Amino acid sequence: AKLIFTTSLFLGTTITISSNHWITAWAGLEINTLAILPLISKSHHPRSIEAATKYFLTQATASTLVLFASMTNAWHTGQWDITQLTHPTSCLILTSAIAMKLGLVPFHFWFPEVLQGSPLATGLLLSTIMKFPPVVLLVMTSPSLNPTLLTFMAISSAALGGWMGLNQTQTRKIMAFSSISHLGWMTIIISYDPKLTLLNFYLYTMMTAAVFLVLNTNNTLSLSTLMTTWAKNPTLSAMLLLTLLSLAGLPPLTGFLPKWLIIQELTKQDMAIAATVISLLSLLGLFFYLRLAYCATITLPPHTTNHMKQWHTNKPVNTSIAILTTMSTMLLP
């Protein structure tokens, strides 16, 4: 069953990103949604069932809106081609549909809840590979979308992703809000330089995958358990610190690269104010990444939390974690 679900996941993604016709793109999105649902509700916990239901409802609505936008466009222009989306109403509907698929503000409420209800491995899939088809659709239709609306949604996503992540104690919810603010960075540039959006997405995927895999190895779901994991695998905790700082976008690390290029491109497009605002909003994100990093590495004993200490493991760390953490810190230098 797991094999079928994962293959259909990759199949749906591939169908959507390689399609030219709106109907095939929609079919790929549907296959994706149906394949991830069992992976979310695998542990029969009420919260995971609730997460799967929320996910299904939002994604079904978004798929319907995608279909509706493409039909409206075909009705007015006779074009079913994805790149030929020209009718203004269908552009607006499509923007809202893709924002729903991705979890951009104002359609972001489902994402933290769904991520909190699903296991860490599924959370990784949800925040990386499930975002890929909508991002590709956004890139393909970006010339005809409304840049003002996209900029507005991007800045509010960066703001809300930063603000709502400040007070969280659950690692999955923190990752969800970080995802929302990163999506803001991707959306702000899409009308001007879609290649940068894709670059940002690839690097974001890499760093998020690294963080999720480390959390999965340490089995940490909240900040209080993160405090005791330094004993389990100290080197891994140190790499987690660097990867989190990279996600926050600190200069010598990989995560700084997309932010730097995006700010440069925005100033070229006479959008210095937007660039300033979104850079200041990324400081909010830096705060909660620093808090994660602080809990993971800087709280050495004796500290006051009376948790059970975890055993030191001499198990070799997964190779993919090694590769991902190295790339998400060293790619830019």
Side-chain angles (χ1 to χ4, degrees):
K2 206 175 231 181
L3 180 72
I4 289 177
F5 296 142
T6 40
T7 43
S8 354
L9 204 63
F10 285 102
L11 174 77
T13 308
T14 318
I15 289 176
T16 304
I17 63 181
S18 55
S19 57
N20 286 317
H21 195 287
W22 273 113
I23 296 292
T24 43
W26 169 80
L29 290 171
E30 282 298 306
I31 293 173
N32 248 353
T33 306
L34 293 177
I36 195 90
L37 281 174
L39 297 178
I40 299 176
S41 56
K42 195 171 59 194
S43 63
H44 293 287
H45 192 274
R47 179 162 284 177
S48 62
I49 305 290
E50 180 189 353
T53 313
K54 281 179 181 171
Y55 186 77
F56 174 74
L57 290 173
T58 46
Q59 298 300 310
T61 315
S63 296
T64 318
L65 281 175
V66 167
L67 212 52
F68 183 55
S70 50
M71 276 167 60
T72 315
N73 190 56
W75 179 264
H76 282 284
T77 61
Q79 279 288 352
W80 277 104
D81 200 22
I82 293 184
T83 46
Q84 302 291 325
L85 189 84
T86 45
H87 192 252
T89 316
S90 34
C91 284
L92 277 173
I93 298 172
L94 183 88
T95 310
S96 59
I98 286 187
M100 241 175 174
K101 278 265 174 215
L102 287 172
L104 274 171
V105 175
F107 306 104
H108 63 286
F109 295 102
W110 62 272
F111 190 52
E113 304 286 327
V114 169
L115 218 57
Q116 182 57 30
S118 47
L120 279 168
T122 312
L124 167 64
L125 288 177
L126 276 174
S127 40
T128 56
I129 200 168
M130 297 302 286
K131 304 251 187 231
F132 191 41
V135 165
V136 170
L137 285 180
L138 201 58
V139 166
M140 284 166 79
T141 53
S142 60
S144 47
L145 300 178
N146 181 357
T148 324
L149 176 68
L150 285 175
T151 309
F152 178 71
M153 284 167 84
I155 288 180
S156 48
S157 290
L160 271 159
W163 264 310
M164 293 171 76
L166 290 183
N167 220 1
Q168 301 296 333
T169 54
Q170 302 288 331
T171 45
R172 286 171 293 188
K173 275 198 176 172
I174 291 180
M175 291 312 290
F177 287 118
S178 103
S179 178
I180 291 172
S181 53
H182 273 277
L183 283 169
W185 277 90
M186 288 173 221
T187 322
I188 197 163
I189 199 66
I190 197 146
S191 318
Y192 310 107
D193 198 348
K195 295 256 189 331
L196 271 185
T197 299
L198 281 178
L199 171 78
N200 195 344
F201 182 77
Y202 297 144
L203 293 178
Y204 156 76
T205 300
M206 204 173 62
M207 298 183 288
T208 308
V211 172
F212 265 113
L213 287 171
V214 173
L215 292 177
N216 196 24
T217 310
N218 286 338
N219 200 6
T220 40
L221 296 179
S222 66
L223 289 182
S224 53
T225 45
L226 194 60
M227 281 190 179
T228 58
T229 53
W230 61 269
K232 196 172 182 181
N233 202 329
T235 348
L236 197 59
S237 292
M239 284 312 286
L240 177 64
L241 165 78
L242 284 176
T243 314
L244 284 166
L245 293 183
S246 180
L247 258 178
L250 284 186
L253 306 167
T254 308
F256 176 58
L257 177 68
K259 285 190 168 43
W260 177 24
L261 292 174
I262 285 173
I263 289 172
Q264 193 180 352
E265 186 62 34
L266 283 176
T267 43
K268 277 183 196 163
Q269 302 285 351
D270 287 341
M271 291 177 64
I273 299 175
T276 314
V277 169
I278 202 165
S279 317
L280 286 173
L281 288 172
S282 74
L283 290 175
L284 294 167
L286 173 66
F287 176 77
F288 58 78
Y289 292 126
L290 269 177
R291 201 170 71 179
L292 268 176
Y294 178 79
C295 287
T297 53
I298 313 173
T299 47
L300 290 182
H303 55 58
T304 50
T305 51
N306 36 12
H307 277 288
M308 282 173 66
K309 297 285 176 284
Q310 301 196 14
W311 289 97
H312 186 95
T313 51
N314 283 328
K315 243 182 357 187
V317 172
N318 196 336
T319 327
S320 55
I321 295 185
I323 297 170
L324 283 168
T325 47
T326 313
M327 281 176 69
S328 49
T329 49
M330 296 299 173
L331 212 55
L332 176 58

